[in-house]
Every structure is written in structure tokens, then in C-alpha cells.
Amino acid sequence: NTKSEPDSWEIIEGLKIGQTNVQRPDKHEGFMLKRRKWPLKGWHKRFFVLDNGILKYSKSPIDIQKGKLHGSIDVGLSVMSIKKRARRIDLDTEEHIYHLKVKSQDVFDAWVSKLRHHRLYRQNEIVRSPRDATAHQPLSVALCLSLSLSLSLCVSQTKPSSLPWQPAVCSSSLPPSYSNGQSKVAAWLQESEEMDKCAEELAHCQSSLMELSRLLQSLEVLQRTQSAPNFTDMQVYLSKKDKRVSRRWRTKSVSKDAKMQLQVPHSASMSPVRLHASNPNLCAELADYQTPVPRLTDTIECPADYIKLQEDFCAIAQKVHALLKSAFNTVAIEKEKIKQVLSDQEQAGQSAQVITLRKSLSQQIHVGIPLTQQASNESRLSMSESVSEFFDAQEVLLSASSSENEASDDESYVSDVSDNISEDNASVTDIVSRQMPNGDLTGGTFRNGRRTCLPAPSPDTTNINLWNILRNNIGKDLSKVSMPVELNEPLNTLQHMCEELEYTELLDKAADTNDPFERMVIVAAFAVSGYSSTYYRAGSKPFNPLLGETYECIREDKGFCFFSEQVSHHPPISACHCESKNFTFWQDVRWKNKFWGKSMEILPVGTVNVMLPRYGDHYEWNKVTTCVHNILSGRRWIEHYGEVTIRNTKSSACICKLTFIKGNYWSSNVNEVQGFVMDQEGKVVHRLFGKWHEGLYCGIPPSAKCIWRTGSMPTDYELYYGFTRFAIELNELCPEMKSLLPLTDARFRPDQRCLEEGNVEMAAAEKQRIEDLQRGRRKWLEENNIKHHPRFFKERWVSNNTYWELRKEPGFSKLENLQLW
């Protein structure tokens, strides 16, 4: 094991190559303390049973006997770390991080000993009999199972009477809510001979996918078992220079013996049946599985039938590919026929709308109702009808979904509602970009006078051995660990705080809303919107600001002025302040980043504040926990979970509580947010639901109203760090701004600028030089017993109201500035 001090984390090694015949361990059980999964507040006493490498837990031994389990952990597939002095045991399973604690030292030692033994036994059993290791299915297996389920739904809805395994919800009779046009289209689909062929192909495809899932499970169990347990072997494995087909964090090793591709049509709009209806992330993920399963025979001793498994998997995958391609072509042909039917209906409907509009205009003349008001009402009505149609279709799909949705039936309503919402509810940024050709105002390079693309794409990171960097930092705060510059993005934390203000039009709207409950709803939408830009950003981290570093952002188009400063280095604390004629925004945040073996948790400590001067409101709320999964292998993904409480400190009329639901990557309720606004008596006035990367809705489906939705992403955003349009603009340095900004502004930071321009070698050298300078300054301050004082913030990290005054007179260029770089 890795030698370490008692107060540091120690990683437990697993099965070594050549180690066999691990004796079956005795069953072990007892009470331990388990930290809540979210919002990570408090410890709960739980009864644990460890049997054959599987750790199950519940509230009491009686619940265990009755089968009422709260959870089950495969310790053989987990990264296990312990902290002796604190008597802590952590198990990272990729999907969840389990934090356990024992009060007694003797009990702690017993649990650690038993867990070691059971872990080795479980890993040995998996290596010996991978096909029997079915207690916990890997994430990749869920892909095949989810795709199989989606295909089942597609086939059952395409030709209900032709399949013996048809779900009970799919009958040949159409729901009475179908309109005449929908009934004709659905009846025509059932009578189409081409769709018979498509249904048959999809049925064969489903059986092949079930076989694929079995093979993939065996392959991935071997991979995960052999990749986690031993540091030496892990280091050798990760240091291999294998070819990559995808860039950055989305890469997967390519097998030399399996040059196949599993392709699925990328355009969901090409099919009248939405394959991803039960799983919104399915289609986006299929691209990651275009590469075959990693080959491990170069680095570990695999069972003799491993190559045979690979060959069988590739053969069946090619068969599935051919079936899906044929089915897609059939659906594409039928789709054109459907378009023609709908086009004929639309032309007939437009004639009726013209007659209605003429009558409406006649009434305007006599009654005098403003035309814009009536159009707005009709727009809301059409939105409601559109949402109703969506949820009618969604309920059919969800009723046949997998059992993982049983515990949260009401949580699965949100998926593609935004596609059916009228443009009145779209974000201001998105509307402006759609009104201009290519989203530009002054040509192909700038939008609203600002750039629309970064100077260079993000660098390749496949040659970086993360395990060597992180292996000695289990459970530690990663903000103190120096990382390669390639892992950064050309923004720092001070700019990230400004990025949370992308949707300030919500605060402008709240400042013009008289009803206090509706104002709270809009403020809640703004709180959620601050997380939306992180959805595509799991692959990189922001630069850590230097002590005394600043950032300024003036947005005439949004009507606000923002500045931020790094006010403390250890602990790292960032503070910001933003002013507008309609609102004042400020916050201070301390970030704690911890790595747990497969995942990294980001725990923010601080408070967000918003004031609306017109009503005298002062809202404040906390931030939730962020977790980045699959740090070492696979596709990285990010989630936010926890509870947010929004209070108006100037009034007790209402309070808002939001819950960022913790899930896993393959669940249908991933990224979901739910909440409510209550009055002072505890009565729910408004219900909220949505997804933090899509939008937030108020009400109860199907008549819910869209409060906020995200804007469109720029072209090729995957190549440019996953930045939004707003993020692309944050580090831009215009010539006319150079003389106005303080020299401590993040735009002048050379390592960050070099990375943005694609000069990685120079960025790495500058980053090292800047960090050395900061260590020298800190040492000098400590030796001279001098405390650093923030320049633009005072106690409790609120603005001292000097930034804009000094900027105006005498100007930062005439003042003494810190030499940070």
C-alpha cells in the first residue's frame, strides 16, 4: 500500500497480476456512519452487511432481513481509500462516492481488514468468471440496454400488432386525444408495408443488442477490475501510447483487432420516432461508442476467451450497424411521405387561420383591443397546446420505460419541452443571434461588436498521465496541486463568476414584476441559469487566480458593469460585484476541490446576493455541490446536486427551495431541478421543474410556462473547450481597453493568453514562472509579517466602492499596481 501519514488518505491496492486462489472471506456486518449523498450535510447511522465482495446497507438489521436495502456497493469495482486518524473509509464507484466513518478504532481496523479481503476475493472472482459478475452492470452495458429499450418502444409504436412482446400500453386503438390529422398519419403508418420491414429489422436488432450487452458486460468488467486495483499496473497501463479517435476527454482506447464503427444517424429530426425519448443523452452518447472496447492484453493477463469475446462483440456490432442503417433508410423514406401529408393539412389549416384573423381584425376596429395583447394571448394559448401535445406523447414512452424511473415518476416530465415553447420565452441572446444572418452584426468574426470564436482550438490532452498526478492526492484539496496547463481552459475563476451573469435579462424582468411570488420564481430561474454553461465543460478546469488578480466586464448590451478580485490565496476566495440600473449582484466563493479515485467533487462555500432596488428586495442563496465523473477513463460528465434555499432578507412573504437531483449519467432524470415557492404559512404557491442545462418551467405539466431556457451553442463548440457564446467573449482584449484596465486584470495574464492562442509550450513556461513569482511574494509577506489587504473589497468581501471611481480618476495607468506577472 501507499505509505502515508495517519492524517492523510491512503489508497488500498487491489488484486495483483498473478495473484490467485483468494480464499472466500467470512460475512461481516455492523453499524457505520454514512454521509448523505447530497447535499453532503450530516452523517447517518446505517447497518452494513459485507458478503462476497458486495457491501449492502440499510437502516437496521431487520430492514436487511426484509430486503429493504438503501444501496449496494461492489467493492471489487471501487477505488477504496482510508484515513486512519479520522477513521474514514471512502469508496468511489464512478457513479457515486460513498463516505463512511467509524467511531471506534478497533471497529475501524476490523472493517478495513474485511474490506481488503472481500475486495481481493471479489476481483479474483471477476477475473476468473467475468460472465458471472452481474451484480453491478457497468455504464457501457446500460447503453445497449437503454438502446434496446428505446428500439422496443419504437417497434411497438410503429407496428403494435406485429410483435408478440408488445408493451401493454401500445394498442392498435389510438388515444381519443389524437386529432384527425394525427389519426390519419398513425393509421397510415400501421398500414405501410415499408414499416413492416422496419419493425422486423428493429426486432432483430433488439435481440442482437441484448447479446451485445452480455458481451460488453464481460469485457468491461475485465477492464474495470484490472484498471483500478493496483497502482503499479495502473501506471503502466495509462502510460501506454494508444491511438485515440476522439479528442480531449471523450476519447476511448482503440483495439487493433477491432476496426469497426457503430454508427447511428446523428439527426434526430430525420426520424418520426424519437429514439432517445426515454433517455435524452442516448443519441449524444452513441458517438462515443463508435470505437471498440479497449484491448487489455498488452498490459494485463486476461482470461483465454477474452479475444474471442472481442471478436464476437465486433461481429454482432457490425450486424446491429447494418440493421440500424437499413431501418434508418426506411424511416427516412417514410418521413418524406409524412411531411407531404402534414404539408397538405397545414395548407388547409392556414386557410382557416386567415378567416379567423380577418374576423379578429374586424373586432379590433369596433372593440379597440390592442392587437399586440391579443396576439400575445394567442401565443400563450398555442404554447400551452404545444406543451400538451408533447406531454401526451411523452407519457406513452415513459410508461414503458425501465424500472429506474419508478421512484420518480414526476421527475421524468422534462426532456425536450423547449422545442415546443414559443419564441416569446426564448432567451434574449438566442433571439438576437437568430435575427441576424449567422448570428452576426458586423461580419463573420464579431457579434454585437464582440468575437464569436476563440483564436485556436483546445489542445490535445491524450498524452497526459493523470493518474501520476492525482494518485497521491486522494481526498486532498486540488486547488493546491499544480496541474499541466493543457488541462486548463483560457478563463479563470474570476471570469467564471461573471459567466454566471449570462442571463441577467431575468433580473431585469424580475425588477419589473410587481407580484412578489412571481419575482421569486424569476430569481430562482436566474439562480439555476448560472450552472447551464458547465454542461460541456467537464473536460477542463479554469486557471486559479493569483492573489490580487482582478477582472472587469462592462456589457452595454446587457446593461451591467462587473468586477472581481482574488481576495485570499489560502484559503482561495474570490469576490465579485455587479451593478445595473435594475439590480445589484455580488458574491464570494471559496472552492474546495477533492479527488476520490474516479471522481472529483467541487464544494463551494459562500453566498450569492441580488438586490432589486425598486422593491427593496435582497435575495440570497447558497451554491450546490459539483461532481466531475470518470476522471481517469471514459467520457467525463458533470453533475450538480444539492439543495438551494432562496430567501428575501427584507421580506418573509415567500421563500423558494430548489433541489438539484443527483442521478447517474444514464438515468432519464439526469440534470433535473425541482422546486417550489411557498408563502410564509408554508403553502406552495408555484411549482418549478426543469433541467439546469436546458431551462426552467413554472406550473404543472402540460400547462407549465417556460421561465428561462438556454441559448444556442456556437459552431464547433466541442473543439473550443465547450464554451458558450458568452464565455468566448469574456477574455477578449480590445486595443481601446488596454489603457483603461488595471495591470492586474486577467486579460493580461500571459499563460492564459498563450493557451487561448494555442501556444501550449509558452503557456506552460509562463504558468510555471507566474506560480514561482507568487510563491516568492507569499514567502516575503510571511517573513515580514505583512498581511495582504484586498484592493477593492472590504470585510465580509463586499465592495468598497472604489473600483469605478479609480478607473475614472485618475485611471489605473497612473496608479501603482501589483506586479503579478
Side-chain angles (χ1 to χ4, degrees), residues 17-56:
I17 295 178
Q19 185 177 0
T20 58
N21 298 325
V22 180
Q23 295 182 354
R24 181 185 294 271
D26 296 331
K27 185 178 180 180
H28 189 70
E29 58 186 33
F31 284 96
M32 285 191 290
L33 297 178
K34 175 185 169 295
R35 181 179 283 180
R36 289 181 178 178
K37 292 182 181 178
W38 55 266
L40 296 180
K41 293 181 180 178
W43 297 79
H44 292 270
K45 189 176 182 180
R46 293 290 180 261
F47 187 78
F48 288 82
V49 176
L50 180 61
D51 189 17
N52 293 332
I54 304 298
L55 183 63
K56 303 176 181 179

Side-chain angles (χ1 to χ4, degrees), residues 548-810:
E549 186 173 350
T550 61
Y551 176 70
E552 166 196 311
C553 182
I554 301 177
R555 295 297 298 243
E556 299 86 350
D557 56 332
K558 292 180 176 291
F560 70 72
C561 298
F562 169 95
F563 70 91
S564 54
E565 180 181 5
Q566 188 71 4
V567 295
S568 175
H569 185 55
H570 286 309
I573 301 177
S574 306
C576 70
H577 185 89
C578 179
E579 293 182 3
S580 166
K581 66 177 183 179
N582 295 322
F583 65 87
T584 303
F585 169 94
W586 72 96
Q587 67 168 319
D588 62 276
V589 181
R590 173 187 175 184
W591 305 95
K592 294 182 179 179
N593 306 323
K594 291 191 176 182
F595 173 63
W596 297 110
K598 293 185 179 182
S599 310
M600 182 177 69
E601 281 185 324
I602 304 170
L603 309 174
V605 180
T607 305
V608 185
N609 299 267
V610 168
M611 285 189 63
L612 302 179
R614 179 178 177 182
Y615 301 102
D617 292 341
H618 177 189
Y619 300 94
E620 63 177 20
W621 62 88
N622 61 289
K623 289 180 173 289
V624 297
T625 299
T626 298
C627 186
V628 181
H629 297 272
N630 294 342
I631 290 292
L632 297 178
S633 63
R635 176 173 180 174
R636 297 191 177 188
W637 58 283
I638 192 170
E639 71 169 335
H640 307 285
Y641 48 83
E643 295 179 352
V644 175
T645 301
I646 307 177
R647 291 185 172 87
N648 184 354
T649 61
K650 300 297 183 180
S651 172
S652 59
C654 60
I655 188 174
C656 178
K657 291 190 176 183
L658 298 170
T659 300
F660 286 67
I661 298 174
K662 181 175 178 59
N664 58 64
Y665 192 79
W666 296 100
S667 66
S668 61
N669 65 337
V670 66
N671 301 340
E672 283 206 11
V673 180
Q674 292 185 349
F676 51 84
V677 175
M678 297 186 303
D679 60 18
Q680 55 188 354
E681 297 178 355
K683 180 182 178 181
V684 175
V685 180
H686 294 294
R687 293 190 180 275
L688 306 173
F689 69 96
K691 294 193 175 188
W692 52 259
H693 73 293
E694 289 183 354
L696 191 70
Y697 305 87
C698 179
I700 301 176
S703 59
K705 177 183 177 182
C706 179
I707 307 301
W708 157 80
R709 62 179 293 192
T710 55
S712 61
M713 293 294 291
T715 305
D716 295 330
Y717 63 89
E718 305 97 331
L719 303 178
Y720 295 89
Y721 305 92
F723 279 8
T724 63
R725 300 178 190 275
F726 188 71
I728 289 174
E729 302 167 354
L730 291 178
N731 200 48
E732 181 182 6
L733 181 58
C734 302
E736 61 272 15
M737 291 291 295
K738 291 184 178 180
S739 61
L740 301 176
L741 297 172
L743 296 179
T744 55
D745 194 279
R747 294 179 182 85
F748 295 123
R749 183 165 174 165
D751 52 352
Q752 186 172 307
R753 182 63 60 186
C754 288
L755 178 62
E756 181 184 271
E757 295 172 351
N759 192 342
V760 179
E761 292 184 3
M762 180 62 71
E766 287 293 327
K767 181 174 181 290
Q768 184 63 47
R769 182 182 67 84
I770 291 173
E771 289 175 350
D772 290 341
L773 287 175
Q774 177 164 247
R775 281 189 283 269
R777 288 193 300 273
R778 183 185 180 191
K779 183 178 180 181
W780 183 84
L781 290 174
E782 291 176 349
E783 291 176 350
N784 292 274
N785 197 24
I786 299 176
K787 182 180 179 181
H788 174 81
H789 294 283
R791 190 175 186 183
F792 305 112
F793 290 87
K794 54 185 179 181
E795 294 181 0
R796 302 182 64 180
W797 312 127
V798 295
S799 171
N800 58 16
N801 299 320
T802 61
Y803 185 90
W804 302 113
E805 293 296 328
L806 293 174
R807 186 182 191 274
K808 181 179 180 181
E809 184 66 36

Side-chain angles (χ1 to χ4, degrees), residues 321 331 450 588 671:
H321 172 228
V331 171
R450 300 177 184 270
D588 62 276
N671 301 340

